[in-house]
Structure formats: structure tokens, C-alpha cells
Amino acid sequence: MENTMVKMALDAWYGTVKRAEALLEQLTDEQLSMAVAPGRNRGTYLLGHLAVAGDHMRTLLNLGEALHPNMVEAFIRNPDGPAVDAFTVSDLRNAWKTVNADLNDGFSKMKAEDWFLKHNSVSAEDFAKEPHRNRLNVLISRTNHLNYHLGQMAFLKG
Amino acid sequence: MENTMVKMALDAWYGTVKRAEALLEQLTDEQLSMAVAPGRNRGTYLLGHLAVAGDHMRTLLNLGEALHPNMVEAFIRNPDGPAVDAFTVSDLRNAWKTVNADLNDGFSKMKAEDWFLKHNSVSAEDFAKEPHRNRLNVLISRTNHLNYHLGQMAFLKG
């Protein structure tokens, strides 16, 4: 049963990442630099935001130190703004790719039961009371977050 | 472990529905009738689309017959168009509410193990080979679908 549950959550994650990758391949750097809708975030901001969200998942899941700590200020702590322009579209595409490659690598080394261990931002005391606050829950939540923004980035298509 | 898994997936579903409801309460009927971005679906189309997706989940999960079969043509089989205008915003808000109330009711009667039974669009033969094609997988997938469109509908806010 554990295996089945982990497969479902991983399938949902990988399926969403695949759709995001297909969209990113389809978009030119110029398209990615546009706002997804008038007055809304630029594609570049959302791409950086998703890369940092993935990076944050790595640390929550104990897969390693953050790969892109220099992106947190511009893409998580603040809304879209001039700080984003310090990163080229190519930087952002690469950050997204390296974070996902690293997640794939980390996930492939996890056994099914590892997903039911506590993640790094819940205390042992709270986890004893709330065992659903595990690593698989982080993955489910990040998959939903990715879908939320993917629906928005799809508007960049011509 | 089954209980934990079901709780995670249900928490994700209910959390997303709650965010959708908060957004819908915030939007006027006039705002909901606008395109979410230039040249994209109207909020009314997406609301109907999500209501029918929920209705379809009911039948996949064996919770009952479709409540709104008359909406499938306009909101699932076709893109946004004149057929949508046969429904008032109030019709669509009600369809969304009745489907979700009915889902809540159905979910509350399911035991944890019921979620690991096969859903109604997979054959017994295929399910024997692919046990992840269960009811919980449908819920996970619909939650992601809801998030995808919720990210778009958020653009209707002023």
C-alpha cells in the first residue's frame, strides 16, 4: 500500500513537471519575459519562483542544502520586480533544470517508507501527533503549487 | 498508514476547494463573466468546467449518477463559446456548490480502504496490474486540475 501511494504522488509530480517542461520548451525567452496576464507576474518570475520552491522542497526532504539560496529574495520573499532582472532567462531555465534533476536523483534514492518520515520543518513532538506532516505531504502540496502556476504560465503561449 | 494517506489527499482537496470558495465569494457575477486574461476562457466557463469535473469525479468514484449531465457539452466537450451563455452565473455557482456538497457527503461515508478500490473507468483486469488506478488517484488528479484552473481564475480579482 505504501508503494502504491508513493507511486501515485510521484506520478502526479512527474506528470506535472513534464507538462511544465513541454511548455518551457515551446516558449521563447522573449515570451517567458512577458507578464502572463496584464498587470500580473512575468513568466520569468514564475519560473524562478517554481525553481526556488523545488529547491526548498529539497531541503525540507533532507536531500541536501539549497542549490540557489541567492534566488530566495527575488522570487519568494518579494513579488515580481526589478530584482528579477538580475537573472537572465537562461539562468532561470538552468536553475529550474538543475533543481529538478537533483530532485529526480534524490527521489530515486528514497525508499517508499522514507516518504512517511517527518519533513524538516515539523518538530518531532508535532509529528508524533500529526503523522500526515510527512515528506509525501510536501510532495503532494508542491505538485498542487506547480499546477497552480502552470495554469498561469500556459497563457504565455501565442 | 492508509488513514494517513487518505487524510493527506483529502486535506489537499478540501484546502483547494476552500481557496476556490473564498475566491468565488470575493468575485462579483460581473467579474466572473469576464475572460481571465485577454483571449482566454471566461470565469463562468472555468466555473462550469470545474463543476462538471467534480460531477464526473462523483461517477468515477461510484458516489452516484451525474447531477449536471446537461453541462457536459458546453463545459467539457467544447471550448468557451455561446453554449455557456445558456447558463446564468447563478446557475453555475449553484452547480459548483451542489456538486461539492454532494462530494463532501460521499467522501464522509467512505472508509479509508474504499479509496484504494478501483474507480469506474478502469477494468478489473487493468486494475489487477495497476493498483494505483484507484479512487484516491482520481482525487489527487482532480485536486491538481482544480489548482491549475484556480491559478487562472485568481486573475479575475481586481
Side-chain angles (χ1 to χ4, degrees):
Chain A
M1 197 61 82
E2 270 181 13
N3 285 329
T4 300
M5 184 64 194
V6 170
K7 177 175 171 48
M8 291 191 285
L10 279 174
D11 281 357
W13 169 258
Y14 285 127
T16 307
V17 167
K18 201 173 162 181
R19 282 195 295 282
E21 279 170 354
L23 174 65
L24 288 168
E25 272 177 36
Q26 209 181 322
L27 297 172
T28 63
D29 286 2
E30 202 173 355
Q31 285 175 306
L32 255 181
S33 307
M34 313 258 293
V36 296
R40 304 294 174 177
N41 291 317
R42 286 175 288 177
T44 39
Y45 177 79
L46 289 177
L47 179 57
H49 180 74
L50 292 171
V52 183
D55 204 14
H56 189 225
M57 174 153 68
R58 292 180 64 255
T59 59
L60 278 178
L61 266 49
N62 216 21
L63 296 172
E65 295 297 308
L67 297 171
H68 302 286
N70 62 321
M71 290 175 63
V72 174
E73 195 65 25
F75 295 97
I76 297 281
R77 296 216 185 102
N78 286 292
D80 194 356
V84 167
D85 302 320
F87 299 84
T88 65
V89 181
S90 176
D91 288 337
L92 299 172
R93 287 185 188 270
N94 283 333
W96 160 264
K97 274 183 203 159
T98 54
V99 164
N100 278 298
D102 195 275
L103 284 172
N104 289 358
D105 186 54
F107 292 170
S108 72
K109 290 173 185 154
M110 286 171 77
K111 282 172 272 172
E113 60 262 35
D114 295 339
W115 286 101
F116 297 89
L117 299 174
K118 84 176 195 68
H119 62 68
N120 281 348
S121 73
V122 60
S123 70
E125 293 72 34
D126 288 344
F127 185 63
K129 284 176 278 181
E130 301 178 300
H132 62 280
R133 297 176 70 179
N134 57 38
R135 297 176 191 190
L136 200 59
N137 210 22
V138 173
L139 182 70
I140 291 170
S141 153
R142 293 297 151 126
T143 306
N144 281 309
H145 176 252
L146 179 52
N147 270 288
Y148 185 93
H149 290 304
L150 185 57
Q152 301 175 329
M153 290 178 77
F155 290 160
L156 293 170
K157 281 188 290 189
Chain B
M1 196 59 85
E2 270 180 15
N3 285 328
T4 300
M5 295 187 266
V6 170
K7 179 176 170 46
M8 290 192 286
L10 279 174
D11 281 357
W13 168 258
Y14 286 127
T16 307
V17 168
K18 201 172 163 183
R19 282 195 295 281
E21 279 169 353
L23 175 65
L24 288 168
E25 273 176 36
Q26 208 182 324
L27 296 173
T28 64
D29 286 3
E30 201 175 355
Q31 284 175 307
L32 254 181
S33 307
M34 313 258 293
V36 297
R40 305 295 173 175
N41 290 318
R42 286 175 288 175
T44 40
Y45 177 80
L46 289 177
L47 179 56
H49 179 75
L50 292 171
V52 183
D55 205 13
H56 189 225
M57 174 153 68
R58 291 181 64 256
T59 60
L60 278 178
L61 266 47
N62 216 22
L63 296 173
E65 296 296 307
L67 297 171
H68 302 285
N70 62 321
M71 290 176 62
V72 174
E73 195 64 25
F75 295 97
I76 296 282
R77 294 217 186 102
N78 286 293
D80 194 355
V84 168
D85 303 319
F87 300 83
T88 65
V89 181
S90 174
D91 289 339
L92 299 172
R93 287 185 187 270
N94 282 334
W96 160 264
K97 274 182 205 157
T98 54
V99 165
N100 278 298
D102 196 275
L103 283 172
N104 289 358
D105 186 55
F107 293 170
S108 72
K109 289 172 184 153
M110 287 172 75
K111 282 172 273 169
E113 60 263 37
D114 295 339
W115 286 101
F116 296 89
L117 300 173
K118 83 174 196 66
H119 61 69
N120 280 348
S121 74
V122 60
S123 70
E125 293 71 36
D126 287 346
F127 185 62
K129 283 175 280 182
E130 301 179 300
H132 63 281
R133 296 175 70 181
N134 56 37
R135 297 176 190 189
L136 200 60
N137 210 23
V138 173
L139 182 70
I140 291 170
S141 154
R142 292 297 151 125
T143 307
N144 280 310
H145 176 251
L146 179 53
N147 270 289
Y148 184 93
H149 290 304
L150 186 57
Q152 301 175 330
M153 291 178 75
F155 290 161
L156 293 169
K157 281 188 292 189

